[in-house]
Amino acid sequence: MLDGASARISGRPTADGDFRFTVTATDASGATGQANYTLSVLSTNFVFSPSAGALQDAMVGEDYSSRISVTGGVGELVYSVKSGDLPKGMVLNISTGEPTGPIADDATPDDYRFTIAVVDSRGASGSAAYTLRLKGRAVTVPDIVVDVPAGSTPKNVYLNSGATGGPFVSAAIASVTPPNAGKAEIIEGELAAAGSFTPVGYYLRFTPNPSYSGSAVIGYTLQSALGTSNVGRVTYRVALDRVAAGEEIDGLVRDFVRTRQNLLSSTVKVPGLLDRRKAAVSTDPVTTAVTPSERGARLGFSSSLAQSQAARDAADVAAAGETFVMTNRPFDIWMNGSFLFHKDEDDKSDKWDNFGLFSVGADYLVNDGMLVGLSFHYDHMTGPTDEDAELKGNGWVAGPYASFEIGKGVFLDANLLYGGSSNDIDTGIFHGSFDTSRWMADVKLTGEWQMDEMTVLTPKLRAVYFTEETEDYSVSNSLGETIDLKGFIEEQARFSVGFDVERTLGLENGLTLSPSIGADIGFASLDGEGLFGRISAGLALSNNDNWNIDFLTAV
């Protein structure tokens, strides 16, 4: 304010800037005069960010940047070091207030204290005191976070950025958490990105598992002449790609159902007239077989009331020194089982698929040329995959069968089965269950022709139709995310033709040696496996009284 008596201006300004005003003076006689003035008010309200205190640590021989900004003042601001010292090699940008490196290789590690001042265009000034810790040179790497939208592949991460202690000579993956989140690998230099310029150094390439969502943490290290760094972490925040995850799970389930169909089609067997006649002259109550192959092995057994009774009768007759006479009993109960373990030829893991089948049934011999019966079959399958997923299921089929001798030594067998299965899938990320219903029709034409006194030829012609419908199902992960999947139908028609040849040779001491060979070739159409085949060779040794040894190999 202006004092009228003394012409003194006083008071506290409430704003900065230039203020213009005119002062008029009047003397005792009434004469007046005036003059124009300008009053400049300078601001001293400078706000530093950070306000004061410790700046981020620096390291000898490394780049450094830590911006210091100021608000307030008028016009352009000029920064300076008012007192204290910066580490050797570090300079202060007078326009931005940013202390920058690189810090000299011979700088002394220590705690540095200094004051930074700022002056505006009107001469007002302010200052703030800071500290900075300079560390000795070492190999360190930072933590990095990358967001991965659904359905996308993250860009390669430049690991040299923010790392200290270079130049680096190698990089390594320390960990992938969780292990099934995806595949991580280190790549170098110009291979890391497509563009006009790619910084030389090491990059992390991460390919997420299509089914994975959530955080995937990749631990990594860099190495230089100074040593190996701490373990840095690149955290990928992966959004669920429902389409890709659903397609992967659908493919696993379809492969599982298709593989089990192939195994059931080739393994389900019911005894026909030819089998009944062989059982009636058997000397062993249980038939066992071991069938190794190139990618696994099959273990099997079979028995029946008719076979057990025939073996008992044969033993009694042999003990009495009498001649054995075959007896056909009208009613029979039978059972058989198979256990198969195998792996696909392109599977490089140490995991095996397991398949087991247990069958029981009863039949009635209507006359010498006709047999009818009912059968029940229970199957269990476990199928690990290359993706560390595991599928397993229990199933069943049951139905009537019949066998006819349509010509001398020519037999027609027919089998109709209906059933279903309950199954579980666990990919390590998603888990769920699915059910199926199935139909199977099997028709087989078999001959038994005596080539000479010691050789029997058994030609075979077989047709199988198998259809299995999987119901709609859903899977979920630990985050509570759910994917609904549509059911589907897998069906196949298998046609095959083949033969077995067995020759019986009598040895000393009453032993019988029976070598055999066999071959089958066929085609599985619709959703089947296509062309398939089998070549086998076997050897049986028995004393025709109470024991025998069978060995069969197949490829």
Side-chain angles (χ1 to χ4, degrees):
M1 60 178 293
L2 177 66
D3 188 306
S6 64
R8 180 183 180 88
I9 297 176
S10 63
R12 181 183 297 274
T14 58
D16 59 1
D18 294 332
F19 297 89
R20 294 173 176 84
F21 57 94
T22 300
V23 176
T24 301
T26 303
D27 62 13
S29 64
T32 63
Q34 57 182 216
N36 296 320
Y37 297 92
T38 300
L39 176 66
S40 296
V41 178
L42 303 179
S43 171
T44 59
N45 186 26
F46 292 99
V47 179
F48 282 75
S49 179
S51 59
L55 298 178
Q56 65 185 40
D57 293 348
M59 183 175 290
V60 173
E62 296 293 333
D63 286 332
Y64 182 83
S65 175
S66 180
R67 181 173 177 82
I68 296 175
S69 62
V70 172
T71 59
V74 176
E76 183 177 354
L77 302 180
V78 177
Y79 297 84
S80 63
V81 178
K82 182 178 181 180
S83 64
D85 296 311
L86 300 178
K88 186 177 180 181
M90 181 181 288
V91 296
L92 181 71
N93 190 308
I94 64 173
S95 298
T96 65
E98 180 180 16
T100 62
I103 298 172
D105 291 338
D106 59 350
T108 302
D110 200 353
D111 289 336
Y112 289 79
R113 293 174 173 80
F114 48 88
T115 299
I116 294 179
V118 64
V119 179
D120 69 4
S121 61
R122 311 310 293 272
S125 65
S127 63
Y130 296 95
T131 62
L132 182 147
R133 173 165 294 179
L134 180 62
K135 298 180 178 179
R137 198 160 190 234
V139 188
T140 66
V141 294
D143 293 337
I144 303 168
V145 177
V146 179
D147 289 318
V148 184
S152 66
T153 300
K155 293 182 178 180
N156 300 325
V157 176
Y158 185 44
L159 300 180
N160 294 53
S161 178
T164 65
F168 303 108
V169 296
S170 67
I173 300 294
S175 61
V176 179
T177 306
N180 59 359
K183 179 183 178 182
E185 57 184 326
I186 299 292
I187 55 178
E188 292 187 59
E190 65 275 9
L191 298 178
S196 59
F197 173 72
T198 300
V200 175
Y202 294 95
Y203 291 76
L204 175 63
R205 174 185 289 165
F206 178 64
T207 306
N209 184 328
S211 296
Y212 186 77
S213 63
S215 293
V217 181
I218 314 301
Y220 72 98
T221 58
L222 293 177
Q223 188 173 33
S224 73
L226 297 176
T228 301
S229 72
N230 61 298
V231 177
R233 298 181 300 173
V234 179
T235 301
Y236 294 90
R237 296 186 295 206
V238 184
L240 176 62
D241 185 350
R242 294 181 178 275
V243 174
E247 289 176 349
E248 180 184 46
I249 294 168
D250 179 74
L252 293 174
V253 171
R254 287 177 183 269
D255 287 344
F256 179 79
V257 173
R258 186 182 304 116
T259 299
R260 185 173 57 189
Q261 280 187 340
N262 293 334
L263 292 170
L264 283 169
S265 297
S266 60
T267 307
V268 169
K269 292 180 173 62
V270 295
L273 280 171
L274 184 56
D275 301 294
R276 172 68 81 91
R277 292 177 185 179
K278 290 181 178 180
V281 295
S282 176
T283 60
D284 190 353
V286 179
T287 300
T288 59
V290 178
T291 310
S293 65
E294 182 180 4
R295 299 189 300 273
R298 184 193 300 268
L299 310 176
F301 77 93
S302 63
S303 183
S304 67
L305 291 178
Q307 181 176 344
S308 298
Q309 187 61 50
R312 186 181 305 110
D313 292 345
D316 293 342
V317 168
E322 300 174 355
T323 301
F324 177 73
V325 178
M326 180 181 73
T327 303
N328 275 329
R329 295 174 174 82
F331 181 74
D332 191 23
I333 298 176
W334 55 268
M335 70 175 65
N336 62 54
S338 294
F339 178 75
L340 173 68
F341 57 94
H342 71 100
K343 64 166 57 179
D344 294 335
E345 57 184 345
D346 57 350
D347 187 357
K348 302 300 188 295
S349 70
D350 58 354
K351 298 179 179 180
W352 294 79
D353 292 345
N354 298 317
F355 175 78
L357 178 70
F358 178 75
S359 305
V360 295
D363 52 46
Y364 183 77
L365 191 62
V366 178
N367 54 49
D368 288 342
M370 180 178 178
L371 180 146
V372 295
L374 291 171
S375 66
F376 175 85
H377 311 265
Y378 168 81
D379 63 271
H380 175 79
M381 180 170 165
T382 301
T385 71
D386 288 339
E387 293 81 5
D388 291 329
E390 183 175 76
L391 293 91
K392 58 184 178 180
N394 301 304
W396 63 274
V397 287
Y401 64 93
S403 179
F404 308 91
E405 185 172 18
I406 60 176
K408 184 173 179 55
V410 179
F411 301 89
L412 177 64
D413 299 330
N415 189 15
L416 181 63
L417 299 168
Y418 170 79
S421 70
S422 297
N423 312 274
D424 297 314
I425 177 172
D426 185 355
T427 69
I429 299 173
F430 281 91
H431 56 86
S433 60
F434 59 96
D435 298 326
T436 74
S437 58
R438 47 170 79 152
W439 282 96
M440 178 178 172
D442 184 0
V443 179
K444 180 172 61 175
L445 190 63
T446 307
E448 185 179 55
W449 301 336
Q450 193 79 34
M451 306 298 292
D452 55 41
E453 291 184 355
M454 295 182 294
T455 307
V456 176
L457 171 65
T458 306
K460 296 174 289 184
L461 180 64
R462 188 182 184 208
V464 178
Y465 175 75
F466 199 144
T467 180
E468 188 164 12
E469 180 176 2
T470 300
E471 300 175 4
D472 295 347
Y473 63 102
S474 63
V475 294
S476 60
N477 61 16
S478 60
L479 300 177
E481 296 170 317
T482 300
I483 298 177
D484 297 322
L485 294 134
K486 290 291 186 181
F488 57 90
I489 296 176
E490 287 282 341
E491 59 180 346
Q492 62 175 256
R494 297 169 67 93
F495 305 92
S496 62
V497 60
F499 69 90
D500 290 319
V501 177
E502 183 178 37
R503 188 171 178 84
T504 303
L505 304 174
L507 304 179
E508 296 180 0
N509 301 323
L511 298 178
T512 299
L513 181 67
S514 302
S516 63
I517 59 172
D520 294 280
I521 187 171
F523 185 80
S525 62
L526 301 177
D527 298 322
E529 60 188 353
L531 191 66
F532 63 90
R534 174 189 69 97
I535 299 176
S536 63
L539 192 65
L541 181 67
S542 70
N543 65 355
N544 289 325
D545 287 330
N546 52 23
W547 62 265
N548 73 312
I549 300 174
D550 294 328
F551 181 80
L552 179 69
T553 183
V555 295

